[in-house]
Amino acid sequence: DGGITQSPKYLFRKEGQNVTLSCEQNLNHDAMYWYRQDPGQGLRLIYYSQIVNDFQKGDIAEGYSVSREKKESFPLTVTSAQKNPTAFYLCASSSPQRNYNEQFFGPGTRLTVL
Amino acid sequence: GQQVMQIPQYQHVQEGEDFTTYCNSSTTLSNIQWYKQRPGGHPVFLIQLVKSGEVKKQKRLTFQFGEAKKNSSLHITATQTTDVGTYFCAGPRSGGSNYKLTFGKGTLLTVNP
């Protein structure tokens, strides 16, 4: 059963700590994305990657970092430099074979920084 | 930069009433996509519209792409409680490729049974 997994579903961290959110896909998609969702704000793009070992900053990359060492994995690190990290984080993927005509989303991780 | 705006931000209806959400882009789009996010869930792709003036139906949902390819609408006939959620439109960023999308802020639909 192909899809995207994100873990954990809920994550609590103390202020000042870095935290890494996991995103794994077995859809064989080349492109992967991280979005942040806040109430009433829609989906804002943090980082995206079109191929392995390459990634680009999105609209709100400050305070975040990513890596793309494997096609299946695109972890997001929320650093202590992120001023307001409490949010719902969504990972997505899409395929150039389908002209990126649909983004598939994982279930999301809700991060709360105390 | 490109902006995609959706109205209304919220809509509350009685079950059985119709619902419409509108999406407007600041630039001409090569295509537009619609997603639905149930409360507590993640966005799920509904449909893509490509042609000017295109109309597509999925059961009680009707999607329309404007003639100028700068606006779109989603209309739900006779809403049901299962329609509750946030509906997002999304368009490709400048360049036309769907590789990067700009999402609207969404319309949250609540349905009173």
Side-chain angles (χ1 to χ4, degrees):
Chain A
D1 205 15
I4 301 179
T5 57
Q6 291 185 245
S7 60
K9 189 171 177 65
Y10 299 96
L11 190 55
F12 296 88
R13 279 293 182 271
K14 291 184 179 179
E15 195 172 338
Q17 290 181 333
N18 290 357
V19 60
T20 297
L21 280 56
S22 164
C23 177
E24 303 278 332
Q25 55 100 358
N26 61 4
L27 299 167
N28 199 33
H29 286 175
D30 290 292
M32 297 187 74
Y33 313 82
W34 274 105
Y35 293 93
R36 170 178 172 143
Q37 187 173 33
D38 297 281
Q41 292 297 315
L43 303 175
R44 293 186 289 170
L45 184 64
I46 306 173
Y47 267 98
Y48 59 100
S49 168
Q50 197 166 12
I51 56 173
V52 174
N53 293 321
D54 185 58
F55 49 83
Q56 307 294 329
K57 292 182 179 180
D59 303 316
I60 57 166
E62 186 175 350
Y64 299 97
S65 66
V66 293
S67 63
R68 187 84 188 278
E69 297 176 3
K70 298 188 298 182
K71 187 176 185 178
E72 304 79 24
S73 178
F74 192 40
L76 173 74
T77 297
V78 184
T79 75
S80 57
Q82 168 51 231
K83 300 297 181 199
N84 185 18
T86 294
F88 187 46
Y89 291 89
L90 287 158
C91 179
S93 71
S94 66
S95 171
Q97 281 75 28
R98 289 171 49 86
N99 293 320
Y100 307 106
N101 282 342
E102 176 181 351
Q103 288 194 8
F104 292 79
F105 286 83
T109 292
R110 193 167 297 278
L111 173 65
T112 302
V113 175
L114 306 171
Chain B
Q2 178 195 48
Q3 293 184 33
V4 175
M5 294 149 287
Q6 274 186 262
I7 54 170
Q9 189 173 3
Y10 308 97
Q11 183 78 61
H12 178 75
V13 300
Q14 290 290 127
E15 190 171 21
E17 291 181 339
D18 291 358
F19 159 78
T20 304
T21 174
Y22 300 91
C23 179
N24 294 287
S25 170
S26 58
T27 60
T28 300
L29 300 172
S30 58
N31 66 88
I32 194 159
Q33 300 179 16
W34 284 91
Y35 292 78
K36 176 184 178 181
Q37 183 177 22
R38 294 182 186 275
H42 58 277
V44 175
F45 175 83
L46 292 176
I47 206 162
Q48 181 189 45
L49 304 172
V50 178
K51 299 176 184 177
S52 170
E54 187 171 16
V55 177
K56 286 189 175 180
K57 293 190 175 185
Q58 290 180 349
K59 298 183 180 178
R60 294 177 295 103
L61 277 61
T62 301
F63 303 85
Q64 189 165 7
F65 201 11
E67 294 290 341
K69 301 183 79 173
K70 293 183 72 174
N71 58 75
S72 180
S73 64
L74 159 58
H75 179 82
I76 302 178
T77 304
T79 54
Q80 300 176 359
T81 55
T82 53
D83 296 324
V84 165
T86 302
Y87 293 86
F88 294 98
C89 62
R93 301 207 178 188
S94 56
S97 169
N98 284 343
Y99 169 50
K100 279 174 62 179
L101 297 175
T102 298
F103 283 82
K105 292 188 176 182
T107 296
L108 173 60
L109 171 65
T110 55
V111 179
N112 196 29

